DNA sequence: GAAAATGCGTCAATAGTGCTGACCTATTCC
DNA sequence: GGAATAGGTCAGCACTATTGACGCATTTTC
């Protein structure tokens, strides 16, 4: 083993440290990356605090949200929206069902399906969670001009670009559904 | 044990399922909550793919980002920005150091400090990651009018409200720093 | 009507990121 | 010289996600 261990000086010579800050470039700042990071962190922090008091995490929130937005949603549809695996979903969903926040009802047309509905308890937790988040969004949007909501919504929609299909799926479901089979 | 187990029907009677979708309320949609979710997921997906090829995760990205934004940052400052514990940071930071993306240099004024600098390798990975994200932000902002960037930045800034101090800290650091001790 | 496909549940193992608590060194401050 | 500060590290736990492999019930297809 004649291989020598590189000294710190040698390493630095091979790849010297950089001391200049990574500055804003062009019209689109690196700043936006940080803004997204901090904004999303606060956005989720609101709900996280409440969830923790129920012994839940963010995953529970997401399931609860979409089940409330689209009662009667199937497992497969939920998996598509969340873009996680069946195994990841099941553990969390099971807790929500066992603790009575979500109920499963076999489909009538296709009895293999287990359609998901919020219970009263589930609906009210969702409302509690959403209220906090909506409040923050509301406060952030208020006062940035009348065009604010439209501009921001359009920005977010474009950011989620490849997933626009998920949003339009919700559009059709939220409006057309709601009657028990 | 005379306690009976509630039948499904009994449970449903106690807390009936809700079949009406959770619809948009007032000026601020529940829709915005989904928009934030989908937007952030795509925002991080860009970088995640690249990171995975290096065997890294999002935590590595965040450290790398702030070290690049503010070379010479101390551990304590980084902990404040990321809002995680020292133990969480150290595991990830260690990998970045061991693999030569970040270098530690003892402070000159206070030799207890371990100031963090990106190496050339670290700077270039950060640029690679940021380019993807900036591209998406750029595309999302382009075409929503000249006031777009300003409105969106202000919205995000307000969303991150309680953390504005973190952003202004960066402001001062990004501009004033950069000379090796 | 039998075979194949679909919708869902579940066991088992692993990774990434976060946490708490405890304890250690080196350095600076008073 | 003793306390406070900057940082490192060990050990254990929680949550969310992953992949792979089966199993069961129900539709669909030929």
């Amino acid at each position: 083993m004649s291989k020598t261990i590189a000294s710190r000086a040698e390493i630095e010579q091979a790849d010297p440290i950089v001391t200049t800050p990574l500055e804003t470039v062009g019209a689109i700042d690196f700043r936006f990356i940080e803004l997204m990071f901090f904004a999303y962190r606060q956005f989720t922090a609101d709900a996280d605090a409440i969830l923790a008091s129920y012994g839940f995490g963010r995953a529970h929130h997401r399931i609860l949200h979409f089940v409330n937005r689209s009662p009667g949603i199937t497992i497969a549809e939920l998996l598509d929206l969340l873009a996680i695996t069946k195994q990841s979903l099941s553990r969390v969903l099971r807790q929500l069902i066992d603790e009575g926040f979500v109920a499963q009802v076999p489909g009538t047309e296709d009895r293999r399906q287990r359609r998901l509905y919020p219970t009263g308890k589930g609906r009210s937790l969702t409302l509690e969670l959403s209220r906090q988040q909506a409040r923050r969004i509301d406060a952030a949007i208020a006062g940035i001009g009348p065009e604010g909501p439209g501009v921001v919504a359009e920005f977010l929609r474009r950011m989620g670009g490849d997933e626009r299909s998920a949003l339009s799926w919700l559009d059709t479901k939220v409006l057309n559904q709601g009657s028990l089979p």
Side-chain angles (χ1 to χ4, degrees), chain A:
Chain A
M1 305 298 168
S2 65
K3 188 165 187 274
T4 57
I5 294 169
S7 72
R8 173 173 218 134
E10 282 171 326
I11 289 169
E12 284 187 3
Q13 180 125 20
D15 194 356
I17 68 177
V18 175
T19 62
T20 58
L22 187 58
E23 296 194 48
T24 277
V25 270
I28 302 305
D29 272 46
F30 281 95
R31 183 65 48 84
F32 270 87
I33 295 175
E34 284 139 28
L35 283 170
M36 283 290 290
F37 171 61
F38 290 122
Y40 195 75
R41 188 160 75 185
Q42 280 303 117
F43 170 70
T44 55
D46 291 333
D48 285 349
I50 300 171
L51 287 162
S53 75
Y54 285 82
F56 289 157
R58 259 177 230 182
H60 300 81
H61 184 18
R62 292 197 279 262
I63 294 173
L64 215 38
H65 181 90
F66 287 117
V67 168
N68 271 278
R69 283 286 276 173
S70 183
I73 190 172
T74 65
I75 301 286
E77 288 166 338
L78 195 48
L79 288 176
D80 271 358
L81 277 178
L82 298 176
I84 58 176
T85 60
K86 188 176 46 164
Q87 295 89 328
S88 298
L89 175 65
S90 86
R91 202 169 337 147
V92 181
L93 178 57
R94 181 117 306 279
Q95 292 179 269
L96 289 171
I97 292 170
D98 289 349
E99 300 185 30
F101 291 88
V102 171
Q104 279 182 319
V105 177
T108 44
E109 295 189 356
D110 186 336
R111 294 190 336 249
R112 290 172 303 183
Q113 296 175 339
R114 299 295 149 83
R115 291 182 173 274
L116 304 172
Y117 293 86
T119 60
K121 200 173 156 191
R123 169 60 59 104
S124 93
L125 175 53
T126 299
L127 285 170
E128 187 187 352
L129 293 166
S130 300
R131 232 184 326 263
Q132 296 303 315
Q133 297 191 307
R135 214 187 298 272
R136 178 175 294 271
I137 291 171
D138 203 353
I141 275 184
I144 55 172
E147 79 289 357
V151 170
V152 170
E154 186 54 24
F155 166 74
L156 293 175
R157 221 179 313 262
R158 285 164 177 255
M159 283 293 288
D162 307 346
E163 314 197 272
R164 199 175 307 181
S165 54
L167 280 168
S168 52
W169 178 88
L170 261 186
D171 276 341
T172 68
K173 289 301 177 178
V174 169
L175 301 177
N176 303 340
Q177 216 159 311
S179 53
L180 242 185

